[in-house]
Amino acid sequence: MCGIIGYIGNRQATPILIGGLRKLEYRGYDSAGVSVWNETEGNSRVVRCRGKLAGLEEKLKAEPAVGTVGIGHTRWATHGRPSDQNSHPHKAGPISVIHNGIIENHLALRQELAGAGAKFSSETDTEIFAHLVEHALIAGAPDLTTAVRRSLQKVRGSFAFVVMSDKEPGTLVAAKNSSPLVIGLGDGENYVASDVTAILAETRKVIFIDEGEMVTVTRSGVAITDFEGNPKTREPKMITWSSVQAEKGGFKHYMLKEIHEQPRAVADTLVGRVDLENDDVSLDGLELDVANIKRIIFIACGTSYHASMVGEFLVEAMARIPVEVDLASEFRYRDPILGPGDLVVAVSQSGETLDTMEAIREAKKKGAKVLAISNVLESSIPRLADYAFYTHAGPEIGVASTKAFTTQLVAMALLAIHLGRRTGKLTKERARELLADLVALPSKMRDVVEGSAQIQAIARRYGAANGCLFLGRGAQYPIALEGALKLKEISYIHAEGYAAGEMKHGPIALIDEHLPVVVIAPRGPSYEKTISNLAEVRARQGKIIAIATRGDNDIGGHSDDVIIVPDTALELSPILTVLPLQLLSYYVADFKGTDIDQPRNLAKSVTVE
Ligand code: F6R
């Protein structure tokens, strides 16, 4: 995920910027750059490089960026492939800009600015903001702060910007909407960053910027306002975390941090795709030949396979197109029957899983079209596919997938609504309800992840169990599989996920007073049946942890523990019900003291068969 740093003071900026960016490397990036204002030349020098910071440092040796004011960025590509040209900072006239997040209305703004004579040198949404600020100054904005404020009125989306002007080199202006931004305070010098980690080596005195605020930073002070210009006051805080803790945002493990990042990741994945005016979904301009899709086949591995199983449920329900789901590692070995009319959807968060890649090759050889759903721009799988659609979870460092999974579920919902509108099987009215529920998900997810104290207490009680069963029906069955996979992966406790109706066909033999059984039972058409399964477990003294919908006052009578999730459309409920399962696995593993972020024998991206 992108990283931001800015410095204004009396020391050389470049080493401070590079030092800060190095602290952000753990977040993952594909290119880096700095813009440093050179007092002698009266100009800022932009040096950018695709690849790692070492490459940027080499470039800086050849073309040093000298000066005491500067901004630096590590980019994790979302709009526009990783390249020198697309790296930040972006420059328009005297304006240099770095940006984290996504400008939702970038296409319309690009057209408008091009009409006004702007010349673009990158494919990014970010460059648009540099042009907007330049245009605001040309149109008479009296200073950089005003120009940034006027430009902010035009952009929609999630962002943290830092802007520097060659005409006003004693000032950095930053703004925040949904992407983190922090100011570091020094003596005669100040810092801006996306993450405390980037500045912790320089100062521990910080001010966290809130949503909808902008800040003007000079050598001697900071002035915070809202986007309308109303002043805001904020007391600085002293950071007492170690820098390792800071990289994890104060969380004990990356996995826990990533669990908590999910509301943000889901919001980012929705940005620019939900069209509330037309009750529709735009898949970033992809032109799938929907009328000629006779069948959809999802192929994936592991957690992505579970997301695909939810995808089957959603696409069949909303678009009424027949769907199959196949394990990528099995697919090509059974000589699958495929041809034109089949759309293969390859789901891979890393975009590098070898089994999935080989399955795509097989599908293409047989004449099927392939759509990749991935979290990593320009990774091998989207490049191999005919179409690519990206989740915007940001890099996931914990080996056990969490935010990549929930954003895959969001991608499935977006795909299903898009297809459903085009096959005519999803009414405008239903699409409107689903889209409203999708947009409301991040705050509901926040409710669940912030209520983790109860789950922690449950985990402590069951941490010594030898096994665990997860049960669910319909779209909750893949969530049962995912809950079991998470627990296995990080706590090394044997766990099984089962379709609740299958329990009596075998796994019921396992049930006794020592076996915790997690039953995923949100309200919906199969609620009553799931409750019957729950009663079967209880009759055999199994310990029941139920995941239920807010307002369900009955389930408590059948369960040892009930974890409540907010209500949402049935089709979207897996995005909420999986959260307690991730937290449960996490706290059980933490209780056992396993290596949560790098569990034994597992790799983040599986590039062997
Ligand atoms: C589990 C997990 C794995 C991956 C699987 C596929 O937490 O992360 O099961 O889902 O290895 O990886 P991708 O999605 O990168 O193809």
Side-chain angles (χ1 to χ4, degrees), residues 301-304 347-351 353 356 399-401 408 485-486 489 604 606:
C301 302
T303 287
S304 298
V347 186
S348 170
Q349 64 85 19
S350 65
T353 302
T356 312
V399 164
S401 193
Q408 282 173 344
L485 180 64
K486 286 287 92 92
E489 282 183 302
K604 187 70 190 159
V606 186

Side-chain angles (χ1 to χ4, degrees), residues 108-181:
L109 288 172
R110 184 178 275 261
Q111 266 177 7
E112 191 183 312
L113 285 160
K119 297 268 177 297
F120 294 96
S121 57
S122 78
E123 301 158 320
T124 65
D125 50 342
T126 305
E127 192 187 347
I128 280 143
F129 199 72
H131 286 282
L132 280 176
V133 177
E134 187 197 15
H135 277 242
L137 284 168
I138 294 167
D143 54 28
L144 184 62
T145 303
T146 314
V148 171
R149 181 172 299 123
R150 289 183 187 164
S151 306
L152 286 170
Q153 311 302 330
K154 303 202 162 186
V155 291
R156 279 202 321 268
S158 62
F159 52 75
F161 290 112
V162 185
V163 186
M164 186 174 95
S165 168
D166 296 349
K167 299 267 170 64
E168 205 179 316
T171 310
L172 295 177
V173 180
K176 166 185 160 66
N177 184 40
S178 300
S179 285
L181 192 67

Side-chain angles (χ1 to χ4, degrees), residues 53-71:
L53 275 177
L56 177 65
E57 283 180 292
E58 278 308 307
K59 267 191 152 176
L60 281 164
K61 276 188 200 147
E63 32 177 330
V66 178
T68 56
V69 185
I71 53 181

Side-chain angles (χ1 to χ4, degrees), residues 458 461-462 469 471 503 511-521 530-547 555-563:
I458 298 173
R461 259 185 289 127
Y462 294 114
L469 196 58
L471 302 176
M503 190 185 61
I511 294 171
D512 63 15
E513 70 276 23
H514 304 296
L515 187 77
V517 182
V518 179
V519 184
I520 309 155
T530 311
I531 295 296
S532 307
N533 301 132
L534 202 142
E536 289 157 12
V537 174
R538 197 145 170 95
R540 288 158 185 83
Q541 278 88 50
K543 297 277 174 272
I544 294 171
I545 304 159
I547 314 295
I555 203 161
H558 307 279
S559 317
D560 295 275
D561 292 282
V562 181
I563 302 170

Side-chain angles (χ1 to χ4, degrees), residues 47 122 128-129 182 202 217 230 232 235 298 313 317 371 374 421 430 532 561 574 584:
V47 183
S122 78
I128 280 143
F129 199 72
V182 61
E202 307 293 342
V217 185
N230 303 305
K232 297 272 182 168
E235 285 303 309
F298 284 99
F313 181 87
L371 163 67
S374 178
R421 292 299 297 128
R430 185 67 190 138
S532 307
D561 292 282
L584 191 65

